[in-house]
């Protein structure tokens, strides 16, 4: 009688010569197409029968781990964060994942076998983190990260269940954010008028834009005619690498020749985040004045200016660093003598203002950039729009924060501070000028074919007298213009009128250029020179002790320039050595500095 064979795929049990029982169970197919048969062994037949039946039950429920690498928590999390998550999430999200993985999860749980990880292991880690000083919010971020990572492990059958879905994360007490009162907002705006980039803080308090949204604004996003700002990108925190070959002994962010390896902005993370916002008329005027001030800074910086079209920039045109911006906010709070709060709390204040005004929910959602499914919850926490609705909302916000006829004892100083504007400051306060200027006169120093306007006659006269003394043969005189004539015909308009004396510095310059490969070019320009420059001579003047940059000059030769300038001669000389070293390296290694089309 012929013995029949079991069908392919059936489980097999047999006893080996050593007396042990062995079982094979087909649980699926391997990546190469061959059957995936798992082996178990026991001492007795009842034990092996039970083991085979248990493995068959797991197979039928889809809970058999995939064959292949046996993961530890450390190896899986490293693989997940670098090879899976990094390809599918944004820069800020992956930064948060990496902190959770490398600073908390791997040091606390990395040695566990992935399939042996239990919910209790995670809960003990969270408790240990809080005992060491981490907040409940940090522990929650770690919990969310490991849950996402292990969900991916389940999908890929590296494990059969996710212990993070069972583990309990620490309870989060959602703190109630107390928005600033209108009076506090007005005090902040008065102080903002005294600092550079005044409009940046007015936008935060009046419109509630997120920090990244404000810092990512470019002039193409500002429609002065329609009175609308279009939010469509956010500023990313820079990430640096050493430009010195790691020789300086500092962290990359503090390297004197640091190189930013991250793009500057990214698109808004949701469709709701990309939105038009109606801007109060007073704020639109402030933005126009800010643009004039930036134009003067551009001329003053001369060859150091990097044109990137951002609305809010450093003194040389670079986008503002979010970390620096945060510290400027803290300085503003101290100066205004209001309670300390996060920069993001300015957004809460703006949202509350909108709700107080009775602005419809749909309009609030559009202005704040809240997604429809989450907007109700966000409105409770904070307590495609047509142009008429945008303008009506802008008028309501403007009427609350810029009330007509309001004036305080400090308003006159605030109106004159900062960029020397002669029109109303952020709260609609008209700055004080001398009695002659009250008669709508502008005193213009005509020096070397330049027209420099002043509010006070003595300031214009002092400039002319000193100019005639220092530069004989180049005539200078004071002209008196009517305010209306200057507004219509004067270069720079009303925003150019000064309420202080002109400033003068001795400025030291240094310059060199190199061809691709590092060969220095003789451009018949002295390597170093100095000149006494007035602040209105923007092509020569600077008030910084030293600043330098390297740049690839547009044109067929692709020259790399090293440019240094400042008021401290020794600092300029020292910076020149660094600038020359980087310029040579940049000429030899253009890709390292992003001087390639695909960057």
């Amino acid at each position: 009688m012929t013995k029949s064979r079991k069908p392919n795929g059936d489980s097999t049990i047999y006893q080996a010569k050593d007396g042990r029982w062995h079982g094979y169970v087909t649980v699926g197919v391997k990546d190469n197409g061959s059957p995936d048969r798992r082996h178990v062994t026991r001492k007795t037949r009842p034990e092996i029968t039970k083991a085979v039946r248990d493995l068959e039950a797991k197979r039928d429920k889809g809970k058999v781990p995939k064959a292949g690498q046996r993961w530890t928590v450390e190896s899986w999390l490293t693989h997940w964060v670098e090879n899976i998550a990094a390809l599918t999430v944004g820069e800020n999200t992956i930064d948060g994942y990496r902190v959770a993985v490398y600073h908390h999860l791997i040091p606390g749980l990395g040695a566990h076998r992935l399939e042996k990880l239990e919910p209790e292991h995670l809960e003990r880690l969270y408790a240990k983190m809080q005992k060491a000083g981490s907040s409940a919010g940090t522990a929650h971020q770690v919990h969310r990260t490991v849950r996402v990572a292990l969900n991916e492990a389940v999908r890929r059958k590296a494990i059969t269940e996710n212990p993070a879905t069972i583990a309990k994360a620490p309870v989060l007490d959602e703190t109630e954010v107390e928005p600033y009162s209108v009076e506090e907002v007005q005090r902040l705006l008065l102080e903002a008028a005294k600092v550079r980039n005044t409009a940046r803080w007015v936008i935060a308090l009046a419109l509630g834009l997120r920090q990244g949204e404000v810092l990512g604004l470019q002039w193409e996003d500002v429609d002065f005619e329609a009175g609308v700002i279009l939010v469509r990108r956010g500023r990313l925190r820079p990430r640096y690498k050493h430009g010195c070959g790691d020789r300086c002994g500092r962290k990359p962010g503090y390297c004197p020749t640091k190189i930013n390896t991250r793009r500057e902005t990214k698109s808004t993370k949701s469709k709701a985040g990309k939105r038009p916002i109606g801007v109060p008329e007073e704020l639109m005027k402030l933005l126009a004045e800010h643009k004039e001030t930036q134009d003067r800074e551009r001329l003053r910086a001369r060859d150091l200016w990097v044109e990137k079209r951002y609305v809010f920039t450093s003194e040389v045109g670079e986008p503002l660093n979010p970390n620096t911006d945060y510290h400027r906010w803290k300085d503003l709070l101290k100066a205004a003598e209001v309670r300390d709060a996060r920069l993001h709390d300015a957004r809460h204040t703006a949202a509350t203002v909108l709700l107080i005004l009775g602005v419809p929910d749909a309009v609030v959602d559009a202005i704040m950039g809240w997604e429809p499914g989450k907007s109700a919850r966000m409105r409770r926490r904070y307590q495609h729009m047509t142009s008429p609705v945008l303008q009506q909302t802008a008028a309501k916000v403007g009427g609350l924060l810029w009330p007509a006829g309001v004036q305080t004892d400090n308003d006159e100083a605030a109106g004159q501070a900062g960029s020397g504007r002669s029109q109303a400051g952020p709260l609609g306060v008209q700055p004080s000028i001398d009695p002659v200027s009250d008669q709508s006169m502008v005193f213009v120093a005509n020096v070397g074919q330049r027209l420099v306007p002043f509010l006070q006659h003595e300031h214009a006269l002092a400039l002319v007298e000193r100019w005639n003394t220092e530069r004989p043969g180049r005539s200078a005189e004071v002209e008196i213009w009517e305010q209306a004539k200057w507004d219509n015909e004067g270069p720079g308009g009303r925003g150019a009128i000064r309420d202080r004396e002109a400033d003068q510095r001795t400025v030291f310059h240094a310059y060199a250029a190199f061809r691709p490969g590092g060969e220095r070019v003789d451009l018949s320009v002295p390597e170093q020179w100095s000149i006494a420059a007035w602040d209105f001579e923007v092509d020569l003047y600077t008030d910084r002790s030293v600043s330098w940059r390297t740049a690839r000059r547009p044109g067929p030769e692709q020259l790399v320039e090293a440019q240094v300038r400042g008021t401290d001669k020794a600092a300029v000389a020292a910076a020149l050595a660094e600038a020359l070293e980087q310029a040579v390296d940049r000429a030899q290694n253009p890709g390292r500095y992003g001087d390639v089309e695909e960057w």
Side-chain angles (χ1 to χ4, degrees):
M1 181 176 177
T2 306
K3 187 176 181 181
S4 62
R5 296 182 57 187
K6 288 188 176 183
N8 288 336
D10 270 14
S11 301
T12 301
I13 295 176
Y14 67 91
Q15 187 177 27
K17 293 181 179 179
D18 60 1
R20 288 188 66 84
W21 288 86
H22 297 263
Y24 283 88
V25 180
T26 302
V27 298
V29 180
K30 295 180 180 179
D31 291 339
N32 62 5
S34 61
D36 182 5
R37 287 178 63 80
R38 304 295 175 89
H39 171 251
V40 289
T41 180
R42 297 291 187 271
K43 292 181 179 180
T44 66
R45 185 180 183 94
E47 290 176 335
I48 194 64
T49 300
K50 183 178 184 303
V52 168
R53 298 293 177 260
D54 290 343
L55 188 53
E56 289 174 338
K58 288 183 178 181
R59 175 197 62 193
D60 296 340
K61 293 179 181 179
K63 293 186 175 182
V64 178
K66 186 178 180 180
Q69 181 175 354
R70 301 292 296 275
W71 298 96
T72 64
V73 171
E74 178 177 5
S75 62
W76 171 255
L77 289 177
T78 302
H79 170 71
W80 170 78
V81 78
E82 299 300 342
N83 301 320
I84 300 174
L87 303 178
T88 57
V89 301
E91 289 92 334
N92 291 336
T93 303
I94 198 63
D95 281 351
Y97 284 166
R98 286 188 172 118
V99 170
V101 166
Y102 294 123
H103 291 267
H104 300 291
L105 290 167
I106 288 179
L109 302 170
H112 284 283
R113 304 288 302 191
L114 187 61
E115 69 273 12
K116 299 294 184 182
L117 186 65
E118 300 290 341
E120 292 75 20
H121 296 144
L122 294 169
E123 290 163 347
R124 284 195 287 269
L125 172 65
Y126 305 151
K128 184 177 179 181
M129 287 175 58
Q130 290 185 276
K131 189 175 181 180
S134 295
S135 67
T138 301
H140 240 281
Q141 164 65 8
V142 170
H143 175 70
R144 290 193 298 269
T145 300
V146 71
R147 185 176 60 199
V148 173
L150 297 185
N151 276 340
E152 190 63 37
V154 172
R155 279 193 292 271
R156 296 171 184 247
K157 297 185 178 180
I159 54 176
T160 58
E161 291 183 324
N162 182 353
T165 60
I166 302 173
K168 301 296 183 183
V171 176
L172 277 179
D173 292 329
E174 195 170 273
T175 57
E176 189 68 29
V177 178
E178 182 183 356
Y180 288 117
S181 66
V182 173
E183 292 74 17
E184 289 174 318
V185 171
Q186 290 174 337
R187 292 216 304 272
L188 285 167
L189 293 175
L190 284 172
E191 289 302 322
K194 304 176 184 178
V195 300
R196 189 174 172 274
N197 287 327
T198 297
R200 183 264 175 274
W201 307 113
V202 181
I203 286 177
L205 291 162
L207 302 181
L209 268 65
R210 301 173 178 91
Q211 182 192 41
E213 293 172 343
V214 178
L215 301 189
L217 283 177
Q218 297 182 0
W219 285 116
E220 65 189 40
D221 305 323
V222 182
D223 189 334
F224 286 100
E225 184 175 342
V228 171
I229 287 176
L230 177 60
V231 178
R232 51 185 172 185
R233 73 182 67 81
R235 175 79 166 99
L236 289 171
R237 292 183 178 275
R239 178 182 293 163
Y240 298 106
K241 68 176 181 180
H242 284 281
C244 65
D246 203 8
R247 297 191 299 271
C248 66
R250 306 176 185 177
K251 292 182 178 179
Y254 296 94
C255 175
T257 57
K258 62 188 177 187
I259 301 171
N260 186 17
T261 61
R262 170 178 280 183
R263 56 180 175 153
E264 292 172 349
T265 63
K266 69 178 183 69
S267 299
T268 56
K269 64 180 182 180
S270 68
K271 290 183 179 179
K274 184 177 290 187
R275 61 201 189 277
I277 298 178
V279 181
E281 183 180 355
E282 294 82 356
L283 178 50
M284 229 24 164
K285 291 178 181 178
L286 192 63
L287 279 171
E289 294 172 14
H290 172 73
K291 195 172 190 299
E292 292 179 358
T293 301
Q294 189 181 94
D295 290 341
R296 292 196 295 273
E297 289 181 339
R298 182 184 294 103
L299 292 172
R300 180 179 299 176
R302 199 188 178 190
D303 48 8
L304 295 181
W305 186 269
V306 181
E307 186 54 72
K308 296 184 177 180
R309 296 290 298 164
Y310 285 99
V311 174
F312 302 109
T313 69
S314 70
E315 292 87 345
V316 293
E318 293 284 357
L320 293 179
N321 187 310
N323 186 52
T324 304
D325 181 69
Y326 169 82
H327 288 295
R328 296 293 80 80
W329 165 254
K330 293 296 185 180
D331 294 340
L332 188 66
L333 296 180
K334 291 179 182 177
E337 297 182 350
V338 300
R339 55 188 167 77
D340 187 41
R342 303 174 307 162
L343 177 53
H344 195 73
D345 290 347
R347 177 170 167 80
H348 289 256
T349 298
T352 303
V353 168
L354 294 173
L355 295 172
I356 290 173
L357 289 170
V359 176
D361 289 349
V363 181
V364 175
D365 295 347
I367 291 175
M368 301 303 295
W370 292 334
E371 294 187 53
K374 303 176 182 178
S375 57
R377 179 178 63 84
M378 297 302 290
R379 281 196 300 274
R380 285 196 304 270
R381 188 181 178 198
Y382 281 73
Q383 163 69 166
H384 187 50
M385 306 309 303
T386 62
S387 293
V389 174
L390 291 171
Q391 293 301 330
Q392 290 167 13
T393 303
K396 287 184 178 182
V397 175
L400 183 70
L401 296 183
W402 288 273
V406 174
Q407 186 164 344
T408 67
D409 294 338
N410 296 324
D411 288 347
E412 292 183 358
Q416 296 183 64
S419 61
R421 296 184 298 272
S422 67
Q423 66 243 59
L427 288 176
V429 179
Q430 187 71 23
S432 173
I433 53 180
D434 67 10
V436 178
S437 294
D438 282 339
Q439 301 174 13
S440 299
M441 295 297 182
V442 179
F443 302 95
V444 181
N446 188 339
V447 291
Q449 305 304 311
R450 287 186 174 91
L451 300 179
V452 187
F454 293 91
L455 290 176
Q456 284 83 30
H457 180 263
E458 62 266 24
H459 292 166
L461 186 61
L463 172 59
V464 166
E465 290 177 349
R466 188 167 175 183
W467 182 278
N468 285 330
T469 300
E470 294 180 352
R471 307 184 186 187
R474 301 177 63 183
S475 62
E477 59 182 357
V478 176
E479 301 175 359
I480 300 178
W481 292 46
E482 291 184 357
Q483 178 78 59
K485 179 183 178 182
W486 178 263
D487 289 347
N488 295 326
E489 302 177 17
R494 184 176 300 186
I497 301 175
R498 298 162 176 253
D499 60 356
R500 58 178 177 80
E501 293 187 27
D503 190 19
Q504 189 180 45
R505 295 278 194 279
T506 298
V507 182
F508 300 91
H509 295 256
Y511 178 86
F514 300 85
R515 291 191 177 92
E519 177 190 358
R520 187 160 180 174
V521 183
D522 182 9
L523 298 178
S524 300
V525 177
E527 183 175 276
Q528 297 185 53
W529 71 95
S530 64
I531 190 170
W534 291 94
D535 60 2
F536 54 82
E537 296 180 292
V538 292
D539 54 341
L540 301 172
Y541 177 90
T542 181
D543 56 3
R544 304 180 70 177
S545 60
V546 65
S547 57
W548 66 272
R549 65 180 286 230
T550 63
R552 186 169 292 275
R553 183 198 293 181
E557 290 187 283
Q558 290 293 294
L559 296 180
V560 174
E561 301 172 316
Q563 303 154 352
V564 189
R565 65 195 313 204
T567 58
D568 186 327
K569 184 177 181 179
V572 169
L576 177 61
E578 287 188 84
L580 293 178
E581 181 180 357
Q582 187 182 96
V584 172
D585 185 56
R586 188 165 188 164
Q588 295 173 342
N589 304 286
R592 184 180 298 173
Y593 297 84
D595 297 336
V596 289
E597 291 182 358
E598 60 268 29
W599 177 259

